[in-house]
Amino acid sequence: LSPSPAVASISYGLGEIYVSDSTSSLFSTAASKAGLQGTSIFVSSGDDGVSGPNSRDNSNGAYACGYMPSFPASCPYVTAVGATMGPEYSSPEVVAQADGGGLITSGGGLSRHYSVPWWQSTDVDEYTTASYSNINKKPYPGYESGSWTSHRGYPDVAALGRNYEVYIGGSLETLSGTSASAPVVAGMISLANAYNINNGMGTMGFINPALYANPSVFNDIT
């Protein structure tokens, strides 16, 4: 058998409600095994805030403004990557947001399907505790009982997701999205893997526990 890839990057997703429990479980099992074998999996967190792509289509009715966690970004065994903006215009880095000129709004929230993993429990608890005192709306069904506070939160990290120059059909275009920021983070981890290998160490594999254990190495993005 060929060795497992050291890094995988996924730039697509769909609402959790469209994914069966069996599919979610199968993917989760496969992702966890890949992490143990030394593969780091990165997934775009989505480009439509908490509403998901349904918010682009007015014909979706109630779904258009609902709460739509994105799969597979919500899986605990992947590293979900959101998008930021600001540095491309020499401004402070903030979350990418359409109403701020970012073209897209970085996706994120709490999974409906996956429970909060141990390495993230403190962060999710701090976030949801603050949210209880700052919001007047119900994030999604389960708010009343507090069950939403025990679900997987995403994204885990974020990177610049605005104004990437790409060639499409021979023409240079400028694009934005978490589909760009996820492979950027994957590339950064590839460089770290190369350093490890050159120094007689293994690939990084599943990195989320290490990320949450060392928050001081990151720039906090609200």
Side-chain angles (χ1 to χ4, degrees), residues 13-205:
L14 72 163
E16 281 186 332
I17 64 170
Y18 301 119
V19 181
S20 67
D21 289 345
S22 60
T23 297
S24 297
S25 297
L26 284 171
F27 181 87
S28 180
T29 299
S32 64
K33 290 180 177 179
L36 290 173
Q37 292 175 334
T39 300
S40 303
I41 303 175
F42 299 89
V43 181
S44 301
S45 70
D47 296 348
D48 301 281
V50 299
S51 296
N54 283 322
S55 61
R56 305 184 192 184
D57 185 358
N58 291 330
S59 66
N60 279 297
Y63 281 118
C65 294
Y67 188 86
M68 191 68 65
S70 181
F71 173 88
S74 60
C75 174
Y77 299 106
V78 306
T79 302
V81 184
T84 65
M85 65 183 193
E88 73 281 12
Y89 287 116
S90 299
S91 299
E93 189 173 23
V94 297
V95 66
Q97 47 201 295
D99 61 359
L103 299 182
I104 62 99
T105 297
S106 184
L110 295 167
S111 170
R112 291 177 182 268
H113 179 83
Y114 295 106
S115 298
V116 62
W118 63 267
W119 39 264
Q120 192 190 49
S121 59
T122 298
D123 299 88
V124 170
D125 182 65
E126 290 178 352
Y127 173 79
T128 53
T129 298
S131 297
Y132 270 120
S133 61
N134 292 330
I135 60 177
N136 296 315
K137 298 180 180 179
K138 300 174 183 178
Y140 66 80
Y143 175 88
E144 300 90 339
S145 64
S147 63
W148 70 293
T149 65
S150 61
H151 290 197
R152 147 78 161 152
Y154 76 99
D156 301 295
V157 295
L160 186 64
R162 184 185 184 191
N163 287 8
Y164 281 84
E165 292 186 335
V166 298
Y167 277 97
I168 300 178
S171 299
L172 184 64
E173 299 187 23
T174 302
L175 301 178
S176 299
T178 56
S179 289
S181 54
V184 166
V185 175
M188 294 169 63
I189 297 303
S190 293
L191 293 175
N193 282 335
Y195 175 87
N196 283 355
I197 292 171
N198 289 336
N199 287 276
M201 298 180 286
T203 57
M204 300 184 72

